[in-house]
């Protein structure tokens, strides 16, 4: 309960307005309290309660001022996103409710704890004043849902904080703490301790002052801050990279332009038009879908809610290479001690240095204090002896990707780990069941597949083996939240969900360059689709030599082999598919072009031109097909998990919703026809859905 004793007392003696709203008059202040778990979103009932509450406060002769407060973990966290696709049309609209709040002639105060987000902050902006606990957060994150603040936020916020700060908060979706909000003028007072008591005292002072409180719509302080037309172009330019492919940021910029150039009422009209455009867009539907998809992944239908969780207080990591050191950081960041085991001193030293360097970078950016850095490093216990893992509750293996080595490590772990410890492998492709078979306790073995860089990427694939115990799965899913990852559950197959999904893309890219397009044309089409880089630039980054090339057996039978044979291993050699300058800027390589042309002519294909869309379809329709197979085989729990995995693990552009959601928008019959034309076999699931007019993104795993 973040809102203190006064709130409990107020609710105790209050009148109930409806199922989610109470009204009390305390020391001449009307207190309207919303209590609609989990996040007090502006559902139809909340809107009804707000309207009735403010009307009553207006008419209540004993009330000199009004406080709007929330029970539970947060102030109003926004419009009810679930209602977007199923609106409660009987309830008053949000604009009507906010108009009524803003029209209240008595001083009105929003008492903010937790997060005042989106429509929640817009509601608070219709009060005369905002007071908050210092750690509360205020933000307009609608951009993350492909929207703009559509309840006056784009017009009211700049009137307080100015165009530039408003653009930052809305187009980048960055919330501010109440402490920062106070410096910006957004928060009128910080309250330490009992928020409601402080808010009531603030409201009483406002009522006593005798001066009429000014509505935000009538304020001009922010608009008077220095800005000109260049501010908007400069903002667009500075964020062009982050905004690439997204529609909402541009509409937000236009709405703020309207705020500074038009009278309030006209600005509101402009906001409504710009909001309506976004609301109807496929992008917003995609981003809203992902919002819920991300929150659904942790639900595992065959795990009863009462499945116990094994306590994890100490962690072991084996292998301090690229992945092991990143994995260890996740637990150090969460305050859990980690024993990091290597086979030899130099590798251990390298791993420790990498961890420290990473923290130092965060410190240099002001994200970590020197003290926090040392505290985290102090939680790290380096070791060259697996026996030091005897007390760990969870051990994650991240050694080389070799089955014999992993089995050896697990056999040894079986001897040293305490009974009940969870034994996890970070393997990318290997059979988790075969690894588990090296132990006498396969029920305790699971895959925890992190993505690189492991301390940054938010996806965690949890791979359940055939024998993995339910409580081990439940613990892994819950642990993901502790280390701020999004878990996606997979069954065992080659590459699990994300890596398996992306394999057809790479195969299609390699095949396509034999038919005409150059690697850079293929990459460009995928970058224009929304990926940060195309498959060939990715290969150059990873290194062509480390993706299965063996100098001893190389026989010039593929383009990659030839490039490796002539020393073009990628960025590390200043040349791979592309040439690189000293600053690692890529340019198309004439040498690669020669190699590709040679293979093209030998392959018997008549080289032809592919428009970008054809390239995208050729590479990504097979990915969709693989996703359908993953569902047929029951590898993934649901299609939306696949989308979350690809968006978070492989940078699939979020505004498409991921491959499954994107496919629904294209039309499944079109994809089936195109796959057949490419010589691919569409999965049975895809064919059936296409025939029946069904949707892929709502499917669940079937095996
Ligand atoms: N509407 C409906 N449900 C919501 C919601 C919303 N705005 N925000 C959160 N929820 C639901 C979640 O789906 C989840 O439901 P579940 O338990 O059934 O899965 C539950 O509330 C808890 O959410 P989280 O798991 O995300 O809880 P956290 O404590 O981690 O985070 C939060 C809380 C910071 C509020 C986070 O949920 C969040 O960022 N919510 C979205 C906020 C937002 O985008 N607001 C703007 C909405 S659009 C809008 O207001 C338009 C307006 O301008 C007109
Ligand atoms: P890496 O080569 O960077 O690190 C492996 C480390 O394991 C080395 O430091 C090595 O000294 C150590 N090691 C080897 N044998 C050991 C032993 N017997 N005891 C203790 N330590 C030992 O490899 P990387 O990239 O970290 O990969 C590790 C695992 O993670 C592999 O299974 C890989 O497939 C998987 N993975 C890799 C990803 C990546 O992008 N690099 C992504 C996801 C998973």
């Amino acid at each position: 309960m973040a809102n203190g004793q006064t709130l409990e007392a107020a609710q105790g003696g209050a009148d109930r307005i409806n199922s989610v709203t109470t009204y009390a008059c305390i020391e001449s202040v009307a207190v309207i309290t919303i209590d609609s778990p989990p996040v007090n979103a502006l559902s139809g009932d909340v809107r009804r309660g707000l309207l009735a509450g403010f009307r009553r406060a207006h008419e209540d002769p004993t009330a000199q001022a009004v406080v709007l407060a929330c029970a539970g973990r947060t102030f109003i966290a926004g419009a009810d996103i679930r209602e977007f696709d199923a609106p409660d049309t009987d309830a008053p609209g949000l604009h009507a409710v906010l108009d009524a709040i803003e029209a209240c002639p008595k001083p009105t105060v929003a008492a903010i704890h937790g997060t005042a987000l989106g429509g929640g902050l817009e509601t608070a902006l219709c009060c005369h004043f905002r007071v908050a606990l210092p750690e509360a957060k205020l933000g307009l994150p609608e951009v993350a849902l492909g929207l703009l603040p559509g309840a006056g936020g784009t017009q009211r916020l700049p009137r307080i904080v100015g165009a530039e700060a408003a653009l930052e908060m809305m187009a980048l979706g960055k919330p501010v703490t109440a402490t920062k909000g106070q410096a910006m003028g957004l928060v009128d007072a910080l309250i330490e301790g009992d928020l409601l008591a402080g808010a009531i005292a603030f409201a009483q002072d406002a009522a006593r002052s005798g001066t009429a409180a000014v509505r935000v719509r009538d304020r001009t302080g922010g608009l008077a801050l220095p800005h000109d037309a260049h501010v908007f172009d400069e903002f667009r330019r500075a964020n062009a990279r982050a905004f690439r492919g997204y529609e909402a940021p541009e509409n937000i910029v236009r709405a703020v332009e309207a705020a500074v150039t038009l009278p309030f009422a006209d600005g509101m009209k402009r906001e409504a038009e710009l909001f309506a455009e976004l609301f109807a867009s496929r992008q917003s539907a995609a981003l809203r879908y992902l919002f819920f998809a991300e929150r659904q992944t942790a639900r595992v239908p065959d795990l009863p809610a009462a499945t116990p969780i094994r306590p994890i207080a100490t962690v072991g990591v084996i292998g301090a290479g690229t992945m092991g050191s990143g994995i260890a950081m996740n637990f150090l960041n969460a305050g859990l001690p980690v024993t990091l085991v290597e086979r030899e001193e130099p590798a251990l030293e390298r791993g420790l240095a990498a961890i420290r360097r990473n923290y130092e970078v965060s410190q240099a950016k002001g994200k970590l204090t020197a003290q926090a850095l040392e505290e985290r490093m102090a939680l790290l216990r380096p070791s060259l002896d697996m026996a030091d893992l005897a007390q760990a509750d969870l051990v994650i293996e991240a050694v080389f990707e070799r089955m014999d080595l992993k089995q050896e490590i697990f056999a040894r772990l079986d001897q040293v780990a305490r009974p009940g410890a969870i034994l996890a492998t970070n393997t990318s492709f290997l059979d988790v069941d075969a690894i588990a078979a090296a132990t006498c306790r396969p029920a305790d073995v699971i895959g925890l597949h992190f993505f690189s860089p492991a301390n940054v990427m938010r996806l965690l694939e949890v791979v359940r083996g055939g024998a993995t115990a339910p409580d081990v799965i439940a613990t892994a899913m819950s642990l993901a939240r502790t280390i701020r990852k999004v878990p996606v559950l997979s069954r065992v197959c080659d590459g699990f969900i994300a890596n398996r999904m992306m394999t057809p893309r790479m195969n299609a890219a390699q095949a396509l360059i034999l038919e005409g397009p150059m690697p850079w044309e293929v990459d460009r089409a995928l970058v224009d689709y929304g990926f940060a880089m195309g498959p060939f630039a990715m290969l150059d980054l990873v290194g062509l030599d480390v993706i299965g090339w063996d100098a001893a057996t190389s026989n010039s039978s593929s383009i990659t082999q030839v490039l490796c044979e002539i020393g073009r291993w990628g960025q590390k050699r200043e040349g791979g598919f592309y040439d690189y300058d000293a600053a690692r800027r890529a340019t198309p390589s004439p040498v690669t072009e020669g190699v590709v042309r040679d293979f093209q002519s030998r392959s018997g294909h008549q080289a032809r031109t592919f428009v970008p869309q054809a390239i995208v379809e050729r590479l990504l329709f097979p990915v969709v097909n693989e996703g359908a197979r993953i569902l047929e085989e029951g590898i993934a729990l649901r299609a939306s998990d696949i989308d979350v995995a690809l968006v978070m693990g492989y940078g699939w552009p979020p505004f498409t919703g991921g491959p499954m959601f994107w496919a629904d928008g294209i039309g499944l019959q079109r994809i089936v026809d195109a796959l057949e034309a490419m010589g691919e076999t569409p999965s049975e699931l895809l064919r059936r859905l296409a025939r029946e007019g069904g949707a892929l993104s709502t499917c669940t795993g079937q095996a």
Side-chain angles (χ1 to χ4, degrees):
M1 173 62 109
N3 218 350
Q5 290 173 342
T6 312
L7 181 66
E8 278 171 32
Q11 281 187 295
D15 293 345
R16 184 152 285 289
I17 287 188
N18 68 6
S19 59
V20 295
T21 319
T22 55
Y23 180 94
C25 193
I26 304 173
E27 295 162 14
S28 304
V29 175
V31 177
I32 299 162
T33 307
I34 302 297
D35 187 2
S36 181
V39 296
N40 292 313
L42 290 159
S43 63
D45 277 342
V46 170
R47 301 199 301 276
R48 282 188 193 91
L50 283 171
L51 190 59
F54 273 88
R55 280 194 181 139
R56 178 153 167 199
H58 185 171
E59 286 157 12
D60 186 344
T62 62
Q64 305 298 314
V66 190
V67 167
L68 169 61
C70 289
R73 65 203 229 210
T74 178
F75 190 76
I76 301 166
D80 188 335
I81 307 168
R82 285 184 202 279
E83 261 195 22
F84 285 178
D85 299 313
D88 179 349
T89 44
D90 291 340
L94 184 55
H95 280 95
V97 173
L98 297 191
D99 285 347
I101 295 177
E102 199 174 42
C104 184
K106 301 174 185 178
T108 51
V109 181
I112 298 171
H113 75 289
T115 45
L117 296 179
L121 180 55
E122 291 174 297
T123 303
L125 284 167
C126 288
C127 294
H128 296 112
F129 305 102
R130 286 145 297 283
V131 301
L133 295 177
E135 66 277 12
K137 289 203 172 132
L138 296 85
L140 292 169
E142 285 86 343
V143 70
L145 300 170
L147 295 171
L148 55 74
T154 65
Q155 304 305 299
R156 290 191 179 90
L157 186 65
R159 283 176 157 72
I160 299 180
V161 304
E164 276 178 84
L167 285 172
E168 294 266 328
M169 275 180 76
M170 295 191 287
L172 303 175
K174 279 191 196 155
V176 295
T177 60
T179 309
K180 180 156 184 218
Q182 187 187 33
M184 297 162 80
L186 184 56
V187 171
D188 298 285
L190 295 177
I191 311 275
E192 303 276 354
D194 190 328
L195 174 63
L196 186 56
I200 290 172
F202 186 97
Q204 287 166 333
D205 283 349
R208 263 187 237 115
S209 78
T211 46
V214 182
R215 299 178 303 178
V216 173
R217 68 158 71 198
D218 299 326
R219 288 170 61 170
T220 50
L223 303 185
L225 292 175
H227 64 259
D228 55 34
H230 295 305
V231 165
F232 299 100
D233 287 338
E234 194 38 53
F235 185 77
R236 287 184 176 100
R237 227 187 339 267
N239 294 289
R241 213 184 143 101
F243 295 164
R244 196 172 66 88
Y246 287 90
E247 291 160 1
E250 174 57 26
N251 279 25
I252 290 173
V253 176
R254 288 184 192 173
V256 178
E257 279 176 318
V260 302
T261 52
L262 299 177
F264 182 79
D266 294 344
M268 287 295 283
K269 273 193 209 134
R270 186 77 185 115
E271 177 190 274
E273 288 161 11
L274 292 163
F275 179 84
E277 261 176 43
L278 296 175
F279 192 75
S281 70
R282 182 79 185 156
Q283 274 203 359
S284 176
L287 291 163
R288 274 142 47 192
Y289 158 83
L290 281 177
F291 176 85
F292 290 113
E294 184 185 324
R295 282 159 180 78
Q296 216 188 352
T297 61
R299 300 207 170 105
V300 184
D302 66 329
L303 284 189
T307 309
I309 304 282
R310 297 190 190 180
I312 305 290
T314 56
V315 177
V317 175
I318 309 175
T322 311
M323 294 307 288
S325 49
I327 292 170
M329 288 179 72
N330 287 298
F331 295 98
L332 301 175
N333 296 348
L336 293 176
V338 177
T339 303
L340 184 59
V341 178
E342 256 292 343
R343 55 176 176 163
E344 55 195 15
E345 191 68 41
L348 190 57
E349 290 299 324
R350 274 196 303 277
L352 294 178
I355 294 175
R356 180 171 279 280
R357 205 168 41 247
N358 251 310
Y359 282 138
E360 283 168 354
V361 170
S362 300
Q363 191 194 351
K365 288 184 184 159
K367 292 181 179 166
L368 196 68
T369 62
Q371 190 192 342
L373 186 158
E374 293 309 332
E375 278 168 10
R376 288 182 196 186
M377 290 305 291
L379 287 170
L380 188 57
R381 184 174 166 217
S383 164
L384 294 172
D385 186 356
M386 276 180 59
D388 286 336
L389 299 171
Q391 294 313 314
D393 301 315
L394 163 71
V395 180
I396 304 172
E397 163 280 312
V399 302
F400 305 130
E401 184 78 343
R402 272 182 17 222
M403 181 56 92
D404 60 336
L405 178 60
K406 300 222 186 239
Q407 286 184 324
E408 189 188 311
I409 297 258
F410 272 75
R412 172 94 178 102
L413 258 183
D414 199 15
Q415 292 164 357
V416 300
R418 68 163 184 75
I422 295 178
L423 311 182
T425 171
N426 182 49
T427 179
S428 312
F429 288 92
L430 299 176
D431 181 346
V432 174
D433 290 326
I435 295 173
T439 71
C440 298
R441 37 173 141 172
D444 293 339
V445 177
I446 195 162
L448 289 181
H449 182 213
F450 291 78
F451 287 71
S452 181
N455 55 318
V456 176
M457 299 292 281
R458 288 186 63 220
L459 177 64
L460 176 63
E461 262 181 350
V462 176
V463 186
R464 68 194 283 183
T468 309
D471 64 337
V472 172
I473 301 171
T475 305
M477 301 306 274
S478 136
L479 183 72
R481 211 176 161 102
T482 312
I483 58 170
R484 306 170 74 135
K485 302 282 179 205
V486 175
V488 167
L489 190 63
S490 174
R491 287 194 187 268
V492 175
C493 68
D494 192 27
F496 318 123
I497 297 173
N499 283 344
R500 174 172 163 183
M501 286 287 283
M502 291 308 266
T503 304
R505 188 186 83 157
M506 189 54 88
N507 294 343
Q510 306 265 15
L512 185 60
I513 56 173
L514 296 177
E515 297 184 35
M518 280 293 135
W520 30 95
E521 291 171 61
V522 174
D523 280 355
R524 165 67 29 215
L526 280 238
V527 168
D528 288 347
Y529 175 84
F531 283 97
M533 63 170 69
F536 296 104
M538 172 101 94
L539 284 177
D540 274 1
L541 181 68
V542 174
L544 303 191
D545 58 316
V546 298
I547 52 153
W549 181 66
D550 182 351
T553 56
S554 189
N555 60 2
S556 312
S557 62
S558 71
I559 293 171
T560 313
Q561 281 198 8
V562 172
L563 291 178
C564 283
E565 287 163 14
I566 59 176
R568 297 187 67 90
W569 292 5
Q571 286 197 15
K572 57 184 151 191
R573 291 287 184 93
E574 280 107 49
F577 281 96
Y578 294 84
D579 289 335
Y580 294 90
D581 64 15
R584 298 213 160 168
R585 266 186 307 257
T587 43
S589 157
V591 176
T592 303
E593 180 159 356
V595 174
V596 173
R597 293 261 175 257
D598 187 35
F599 270 85
Q600 277 176 359
S601 58
R602 280 195 275 145
S603 72
H605 286 293
Q606 187 70 40
R608 54 194 181 101
T609 310
F610 283 72
V611 296
Q613 192 187 334
I615 294 176
V616 165
E617 295 183 358
R618 187 67 187 267
L619 265 65
L620 302 189
F621 284 179
V623 177
V624 171
N625 200 25
E626 197 67 35
R629 289 213 180 93
I630 282 176
L631 287 171
E632 270 172 351
E633 294 167 23
I635 299 294
L637 285 176
R638 43 183 94 78
S640 61
D641 282 9
I642 299 179
D643 282 333
V644 170
L646 276 273
V647 166
M648 293 198 170
Y650 266 103
W652 193 288
F655 54 76
T656 66
M660 307 283 101
F661 189 85
W662 175 67
D664 284 337
I666 302 271
L668 300 185
Q669 189 59 54
R670 226 192 102 205
I671 295 179
V672 166
D673 294 343
L675 283 168
E676 282 172 343
M678 291 172 201
E680 299 270 342
T681 311
S683 78
E684 265 319 303
L685 175 64
L686 208 50
R687 281 189 208 277
R688 178 171 62 74
L689 291 170
R691 216 169 35 240
E692 294 170 357
L696 193 52
S697 59
T698 50
C699 279
T700 49
Q702 302 187 343

